[in-house]
């Protein structure tokens, strides 16, 4: 199995992540592509609030991957990785967010964990071929 590229699998804490309903909350986001130069960074979000599945593994039909607590040395609690949509952040916005502390890298997933998440993500019925092509 190949190791993930340098940025894919990094986990960031996004302070005051904006939700579609106008609310905001601190969110942990996972990089799922390998941004180069000025290309967007693509993220998926995570939650520690219980979803429909409890056992670790892939639930692509529900756009979820479940991680056990401390499984990957990044998430202290059981975590549901959600991928019903990808969140692109332009490279310049990433640079500014890092500079001003709005986003902070908090760790990197183990290669086998990010690969399992990506394999699951690619099976999602809700992501378009265009979105999936951006994972490369």
């Amino acid at each position: 199995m190949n190791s993930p590229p340098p940025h894919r699998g990094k986990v960031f804490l996004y302070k005051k992540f904006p939700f579609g309903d106008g609310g905001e909350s601190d969110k942990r986001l996972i990089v799922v592509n390998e941004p180069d130069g000025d290309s967007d960074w693509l993220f998926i979000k995570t939650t520690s609030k219980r979803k429909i599945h409890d056992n670790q593994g892939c639930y692509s039909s529900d756009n979820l991957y479940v991680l056990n607590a401390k499984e990957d040395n990044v998430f202290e609690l059981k975590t549901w990785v959600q991928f019903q949509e990808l969140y692109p952040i332009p490279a310049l916005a990433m640079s500014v967010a890092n500079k001003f502390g709005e986003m902070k890298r908090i760790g990197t997933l183990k290669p086998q964990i990010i690969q399992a998440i990506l394999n699951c993500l690619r099976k999602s019925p809700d992501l378009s071929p265009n979105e999936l092509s951006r994972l490369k």
Side-chain angles (χ1 to χ4, degrees):
M1 181 187 323
N2 294 338
S3 295
H7 294 295
R8 188 175 289 142
K10 288 182 179 177
V11 180
F12 286 82
L13 177 64
Y14 187 128
K15 295 180 181 178
K16 298 183 180 179
F17 180 85
F19 292 101
D21 64 2
E24 54 185 35
S25 177
D26 291 356
K27 274 286 170 201
R28 287 170 172 76
L29 305 176
I30 301 170
V31 180
V32 293
N33 71 328
E34 184 51 44
D36 58 353
D38 294 332
S39 64
D40 290 349
W41 291 58
L42 293 178
F43 291 90
I44 50 179
K45 67 182 179 179
T46 66
T47 185
S48 58
K49 294 181 182 169
R50 187 181 182 281
K51 298 294 177 189
I52 55 177
H53 301 286
D54 280 327
N55 295 327
Q56 180 163 325
C58 175
Y59 301 93
S60 59
S61 62
D62 293 318
N63 292 305
L64 290 172
Y65 190 93
V66 180
L67 288 170
N68 288 329
K70 301 181 183 180
E71 176 68 29
D72 61 359
N73 298 320
V74 178
F75 298 100
E76 289 294 314
L77 303 173
K78 180 172 280 211
T79 299
W80 288 260
V81 180
Q82 304 169 295
F83 43 83
Q84 61 271 23
E85 62 183 307
L86 301 177
Y87 296 92
I89 298 179
L92 181 59
M94 278 294 295
S95 178
V96 170
N98 278 314
K99 182 177 180 180
F100 291 103
E102 295 166 355
M103 287 188 78
K104 177 184 175 187
R105 183 173 158 222
I106 58 171
T108 301
L109 297 174
K110 294 177 187 175
Q112 64 271 27
I113 296 291
I114 188 59
Q115 193 59 55
I117 291 170
L118 289 169
N119 290 343
C120 189
L121 173 63
R122 289 183 178 107
K123 296 176 189 173
S124 169
D126 295 328
L127 296 179
S128 71
N130 180 48
E131 288 174 307
L132 293 172
S133 72
R134 297 178 73 190
L135 299 177
K136 297 176 181 167

